[in-house]
Amino acid sequence: MSSRSGFFRPAGRSRGEGEASWISVSDLMAGLMMVFLCIAVAMMRSVMIEREKIRTIAMSYKENQLAIYETLQREFAADLPRWGATIDRDTLTVAFNNSDAMFDTGEATLSTSYQVVFEEFFPRYMNVLAPFKASIESVRIEGHTSSGWGQSSDRNTTYFNNLRLSQDRARSVLRYVYTLAEVTTHHAWMMRNVAAVGYSSSRPIYNGDGSENIEQSKRVAFRVITNSETKIHSILEESF
């Protein structure tokens, strides 16, 4: 019933069988660990690949952004002062800041003087963007106002009056530049990619002391939106 050493050994089970069973469990655990390790390595590799794709797009975006900005500068730098316009490098926005010369107060009919300006500007603008069309998601013609509205002191009324005015002015500019004979060849692309947007007084321009710059806040801007963000979203969606 018992061995001379004093240890009990279950009947019908040899020592070799027990060791073989223990070795089998060890092999199974080691195999599972290897499987989990391989899965972890594969997941890490997938994440690194996706990160590299996003990094590549980000670098391409910066290079493309810079190329568009530099091309706009070369084309329009000499004209910006007389137009009362500026180009923002970070947002690729050409802003016409002399809104009082573009429209009568509270009105959305484009003045004759700025019809001449946009006749000179917009065909050249479309030609500048032509080589970059594959990377452009949209072009927004933006209407902006200052935060005031006559003698009104009601904030909500002022905001919605300015919203309507900014939308009307943006549409007025888009309607006018679309009719120019020089951009006829761009009509199909414009229908898909150019939009008129009014922002009311939600994006004012500030002076150095933090006060609102009333004159510069009232503006019409042409902004390029590239498709890099869309590509990044597409990569992220493919990852899940």
Side-chain angles (χ1 to χ4, degrees):
M1 296 294 291
S2 63
S3 68
R4 293 180 61 184
S5 61
F7 291 99
F8 174 76
R9 180 179 296 164
R13 183 176 179 181
S14 68
R15 183 176 178 181
E17 290 175 347
E19 290 176 350
S21 176
W22 174 251
I23 292 172
S24 296
V25 172
S26 298
D27 289 344
L28 177 61
M29 294 300 294
L32 288 173
M33 289 181 65
M34 288 300 297
V35 170
F36 290 140
L37 180 61
C38 290
I39 292 173
V41 170
M43 291 182 66
M44 290 177 63
R45 184 173 182 276
S46 177
V47 170
M48 291 177 65
I49 290 173
E50 301 308 318
R51 287 181 62 183
E52 182 61 25
K53 287 181 181 179
I54 292 173
R55 190 185 75 83
T56 300
I57 289 175
M59 292 297 295
S60 176
Y61 162 76
K62 291 180 67 175
E63 293 170 358
N64 189 63
Q65 187 101 347
L66 180 60
I68 294 174
Y69 170 74
E70 290 179 343
T71 307
L72 288 170
Q73 279 284 4
R74 283 196 299 271
E75 180 67 30
F76 297 118
D79 303 302
L80 297 176
R82 64 187 177 86
W83 289 344
T86 57
I87 301 177
D88 186 276
R89 175 174 178 166
D90 295 329
T91 62
L92 296 181
T93 299
V94 181
F96 292 83
N97 302 305
N98 195 1
S99 185
D100 285 343
M102 276 184 263
F103 308 98
D104 290 336
T105 301
E107 299 298 326
T109 301
L110 189 62
S111 68
T112 302
S113 61
Y114 264 83
Q115 287 179 12
V116 174
V117 169
F118 289 133
E119 284 173 11
E120 184 179 355
F121 164 75
F122 194 72
R124 292 162 60 192
Y125 182 69
M126 291 304 297
N127 290 335
V128 165
L129 298 184
F132 304 99
K133 283 182 177 179
S135 66
I136 295 175
E137 180 76 16
S138 64
V139 173
R140 295 179 189 166
I141 299 179
E142 302 177 344
H144 300 269
T145 69
S146 63
S147 59
W149 183 267
Q151 301 301 314
S152 176
S153 59
D154 180 75
R155 184 177 181 182
N156 292 331
T157 299
T158 296
Y159 172 79
F160 282 104
N161 283 340
N162 278 322
L163 181 62
R164 174 185 54 77
L165 180 62
S166 64
Q167 291 170 339
D168 289 346
R169 287 179 170 180
R171 283 195 297 267
S172 178
V173 172
L174 174 55
R175 186 179 297 110
Y176 183 75
V177 297
Y178 184 84
T179 64
L180 298 176
E182 295 90 340
V183 300
T184 302
T185 56
H186 299 288
H187 277 178
W189 190 85
M190 289 178 64
M191 287 181 178
R192 294 191 304 270
N193 300 94
V194 180
V197 184
Y199 286 101
S200 187
S201 56
S202 63
R203 300 184 181 184
I205 303 297
Y206 294 101
N207 296 312
D209 61 3
S211 60
E212 181 182 359
N213 186 315
I214 302 297
E215 296 308 312
Q216 289 192 16
S217 292
K218 296 183 289 184
R219 64 198 187 278
V220 170
F222 294 74
R223 182 179 179 185
V224 174
I225 310 295
T226 63
N227 59 15
S228 58
E229 185 175 342
T230 301
K231 289 184 177 180
I232 290 174
H233 281 301
S234 177
I235 290 173
L236 293 175
E237 289 173 0
E238 291 173 359
S239 302
F240 296 98

